Every structure is written in structure tokens, then in C-alpha cells.
Amino acid sequence: MKVYFIGAGPGDPELITIKGARLIGEATVVIYAGSLVPERVLEHASDDAVIMNSASMNLDEVCAVYNEYRDSDITIARVHTGDPSIYGAIGEQIAYLREEGIPFQVIPGVSSFQASAAVLEQELTLPSVSQSVILSRISGRTPTPEKEDLALLAKAQATMILFLSIGMAKEVEEKLLKEYPPKTPVAIVYRASWPDQKVFRGTLDELAKITEDNSLTRQALIFVGEVLNNEFELSKLYDASFTHGYRKGNA
Ligand code: SAH
């Protein structure tokens, strides 16, 4: 038996990897993570696959499924939204499988932050503006380590993308305003790559208002940072005078 953790992508059923889709098709059991994994991704599953929604299962129940099949020669597809490495709760499942000596493999997926950047038609790392991307969340029911308080992470004024935080937009705004200027551009992407996707833009001092006016409470990412203004110096990589491993510059 082998467990495959598969990134289902952000919503659009075409944004799953070929490998992920194939492994779902080959699996005897498919466990998918509730509301955020598109039903259409499950169309890859074979007709006789056992399909389970993990939304109503706790960790022990999921692990009990792994255990039940451990001596068989089947595969289990454990399908997570976006990329499994980002807030995917695979850590605890991996710890269990390692302890039990059950083989597994992680198949990456397109994260919602990547899909959202595509929707925004945005390079997140513009030369001279920001060369770092911080993926984080506000401390909520799952507390974040104190050292990662948003006001501290904000010090670099880098490009910041917040998961699981839209329901606490007021707190996000307050913390980030301690470091970012009030007119720093922000974007909110709701349900990136789904048919009902929406984009909202504004400035940091309007973040809570935009969220409230549009009743955004879930399934959205918050982008913050000067890069969203798209004012920057040209990348050296394509500069005609810049020599690198694949091209000789003309300077
Ligand atoms: N592993 C996932 C994230 C899971 S945490 C990934 O890589 O994308 C769930 C959070 O992800 C949501 O609260 C929301 O902030 C974000 N999210 C997931 N899918 C989204 C989508 N299609 N559009 C915008 N945000 C999304």
C-alpha cells in the first residue's frame, strides 16, 4: 500500500498536475479535503474507487483508513487543495505514516497564491521593489509563533500574501499599518480560478472596509506590497548589456 498526498490545485480542474490526475485515477481509495477541493478533480477517480470526504473525519479516522489497507497492494490518493505543503496539515499524517513504516509520496500542486498571482497578472518579485515573498497568516484559532507576529514580518515591507486571514481583515490592517505606509496597494483574490472568482483592489488603509463591504469571510487571499503598483527598474536578466551563462551582453 502506498499513500499519495496530491495537490489538487486551487479550483480550476485543469490546474492539477498530470501526475496527480493519473494517481487519483489509479487509486482504490480517494480521500479529499472537503469544500475546497473541486468535485471535478474527483472525476479522475475510477468508477469503483471508494471516495471519502475528510471534512467530517479527524486525524485518527484518516489514519485508521491508512492502517486498514496497509497490508494490501492498493494506493490511496489523499487529495489536498492547492499545494499540500501550504497549510495542508500533511505534517501530522506524514509523522503517522513514518512511524508505521507505511510508504508515501507527496505530489505538488498549484497553490492558490500562485493562481491568484496569475489572476492579478502580477510578478511578485519586481527588481528594486521586493525580492522576497512572505506567505503567512494572522494568528487565529491556530496560533502563530509570537516571533512571526504580522507586525514583525511586516518590517521588511516585502510582498506579503496572507492565507486564512480574510475573516480578520481589521486585525491584519492594524498590524500591517505599523510598518507599511497606509497607501500601500493591496489586492484580495476570492476563489481564484473558480467560476465565481473575484478580485478587489485598494490600499492597506481600506483593507477592512473592502472586506466588509463585499462580505468576504473565507476562501480569499490578501496580497500586500508595493509590487502591486508595478513601478520598477527593468530586470537585469533581460537587459541587453547584461552577460550571463546563456547570453553575452552587448556592453
Ligand atoms: N494548500 C492550500 C491552502 C490551504 S489553506 C494552497 O496551497 O492554496 C486554505 C486557505 O487558502 C483559504 O483560507 C484561502 O486563504 C486560501 N485559498 C485556497 N484556495 C483558494 C482560492 N481558490 N482562491 C483564494 N484563496 C484560496
Side-chain angles (χ1 to χ4, degrees):
M1 199 271 279
K2 184 165 176 181
V3 178
Y4 290 98
F5 295 100
I6 299 170
D12 179 342
E14 290 189 329
L15 290 179
I16 187 170
T17 65
I18 293 169
K19 189 164 194 160
R22 173 176 65 78
L23 289 167
I24 291 174
E26 289 171 9
T28 302
V29 180
V30 178
I31 310 177
Y32 72 103
S35 58
L36 275 172
V37 168
E39 293 277 327
R40 282 192 55 200
V41 164
L42 302 175
E43 288 173 9
H44 295 293
S46 79
D47 290 342
D48 47 5
V50 180
I51 305 214
M52 300 179 192
N53 182 347
S54 64
S56 57
M57 298 162 82
N58 60 34
L59 176 65
D60 290 342
E61 287 165 335
V62 173
C63 291
V65 177
Y66 300 155
N67 210 24
E68 184 185 335
Y69 292 95
R70 61 177 303 156
D71 296 323
S72 68
D73 61 359
I74 68 151
T75 60
I76 296 183
R78 175 71 173 100
V79 186
H80 287 264
T81 175
D83 181 78
S85 72
I86 312 281
Y87 306 109
I90 57 170
E92 53 208 31
Q93 299 173 64
I94 286 175
Y96 175 83
L97 295 172
R98 282 208 178 114
E99 203 174 291
E100 294 293 319
I102 299 173
F104 64 91
Q105 191 179 339
V106 183
I107 313 298
V110 176
S111 176
S112 58
F113 88 84
Q114 298 166 305
S116 297
V119 169
L120 295 170
E121 300 172 348
Q122 184 65 53
E123 175 173 350
L124 300 173
T125 52
L126 289 174
S128 79
V129 182
S130 174
Q131 290 289 285
S132 310
V133 181
I134 296 175
L135 305 180
S136 191
R137 62 172 299 173
I138 194 153
S139 193
R141 267 200 304 168
T142 308
T144 60
E146 256 175 56
K147 294 189 299 252
E148 295 180 15
D149 186 83
L150 281 189
L152 292 175
L153 295 183
K155 279 196 184 300
Q157 295 186 27
T159 306
M160 189 179 280
I161 304 174
L162 300 176
F163 290 74
L164 299 158
S165 301
I166 196 74
M168 294 176 68
K170 185 80 204 148
E171 289 83 347
V172 171
E173 180 181 318
E174 279 166 11
K175 283 194 180 279
L176 297 188
L177 279 175
K178 294 196 172 132
E179 301 290 343
Y180 290 88
K183 296 302 169 198
T184 304
V186 297
I188 298 169
V189 184
Y190 170 76
R191 285 171 64 84
S193 86
W194 290 80
D196 54 352
Q197 150 193 307
K198 288 196 190 87
V199 174
F200 305 88
R201 289 181 186 267
T203 51
L204 181 55
D205 56 357
E206 302 169 332
L207 179 67
K209 185 170 183 332
I210 298 171
T211 306
E212 203 180 314
D213 289 353
N214 296 285
S215 311
L216 299 171
T217 55
R218 52 202 284 271
Q219 296 187 12
L221 288 176
I222 302 171
F223 284 63
V224 182
E226 195 52 38
V227 284
L228 296 167
N229 271 339
N230 288 307
E231 285 164 11
F232 55 95
E233 285 169 14
L234 293 181
S235 160
K236 292 229 178 348
L237 195 57
Y238 296 105
D239 185 323
S241 65
F242 191 63
T243 298
H244 60 68
Y246 298 97
R247 179 165 58 75
K248 188 162 167 23
N250 60 12

